[in-house]
């Protein structure tokens, strides 16, 4: 692991996003709340938050971080039969939270896939990326 012991504790925020594309009928199951496994977006939100908290257990050499806030939000993009997931992770500490935000997005989208795979095995997860990060010595990054 990288030594972060001499770095200053600062407020750090990272925002990541990803998309899951599906058939129109699958999106209807999600939005109507009629998927066989239950409330897809509610479960996916919880899974994303839990994943952010476990990032250091999943990613080798990733520091365990005391998260102060994690949010996972969804936007249904009906014309393209897509759900957009945006995760925000925050901490006050010596290292950033980019990996936590990205992990939250990935696991939330994988949870949607898992809960809907009986109806649509052709779903695709795309465009997972860091949108922005703030705090720390390197300052801010905002994707262009």
């Amino acid at each position: 692991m990288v030594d972060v012991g001499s770095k200053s504790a600062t407020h750090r925020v990272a925002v990541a996003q990803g998309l899951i594309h599906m058939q129109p009928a699958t999106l209807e199951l999600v939005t109507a709340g009629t998927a066989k496994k239950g409330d897809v977006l509610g479960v996916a939100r919880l899974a994303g938050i839990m994943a952010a908290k476990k990032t250091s257990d999943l990613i080798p050499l990733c520091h365990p971080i005391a998260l102060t806030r994690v949010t996972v939000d969804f936007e249904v993009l009906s014309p393209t039969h897509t759900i957009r997931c945006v995760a925000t992770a925050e901490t006050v500490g010596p290292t950033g939270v980019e990996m936590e935000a990205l992990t939250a997005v990935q696991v939330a989208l994988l949870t949607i896939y898992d809960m809907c795979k009986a109806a649509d095995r052709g779903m695709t997860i795309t465009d997972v990326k860091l949108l922005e990060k703030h705090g720390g010595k390197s300052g801010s990054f905002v994707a262009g």
Side-chain angles (χ1 to χ4, degrees):
M1 287 175 35
V2 174
D3 182 4
V4 297
S6 63
K7 292 174 76 177
S8 298
T10 62
H11 180 244
R12 296 163 186 266
V13 180
V15 182
Q17 75 144 27
L19 306 173
I20 186 165
H21 309 276
M22 60 192 66
Q23 296 175 3
T26 308
L27 186 62
E28 176 60 28
L29 288 174
V30 173
T31 58
T34 56
K36 287 184 181 180
K37 289 189 174 183
D39 176 9
V40 174
L41 298 183
V43 172
R45 177 175 288 108
L46 185 57
I49 292 168
M50 291 172 65
K53 294 169 65 172
K54 292 289 190 179
T55 299
S56 66
D57 292 336
L58 300 170
I59 309 296
L61 306 180
C62 194
H63 289 88
I65 293 178
L67 294 167
T68 57
R69 180 172 172 253
V70 177
T71 63
V72 177
D73 296 302
F74 300 100
E75 178 183 6
V76 175
L77 307 171
S78 296
T80 58
H81 321 297
T82 301
I83 297 172
R84 178 177 182 244
C85 176
V86 176
T88 302
E90 293 187 38
T91 192
V92 175
T95 189
V97 287
E98 296 95 320
M99 295 306 300
E100 287 71 15
L102 288 162
T103 300
V105 167
Q106 289 281 36
V107 171
L109 294 174
L110 286 169
T111 301
I112 292 171
Y113 185 94
D114 179 60
M115 293 186 74
C116 297
K117 69 180 182 265
D120 183 1
R121 293 203 188 267
M123 290 176 283
T124 57
I125 295 171
T126 64
D127 299 307
V128 176
K129 62 184 178 181
L130 182 67
L131 295 177
E132 59 186 89
K133 73 87 139 176
H134 304 282
K137 189 169 106 177
S138 65
S140 294
F141 163 84
V142 178

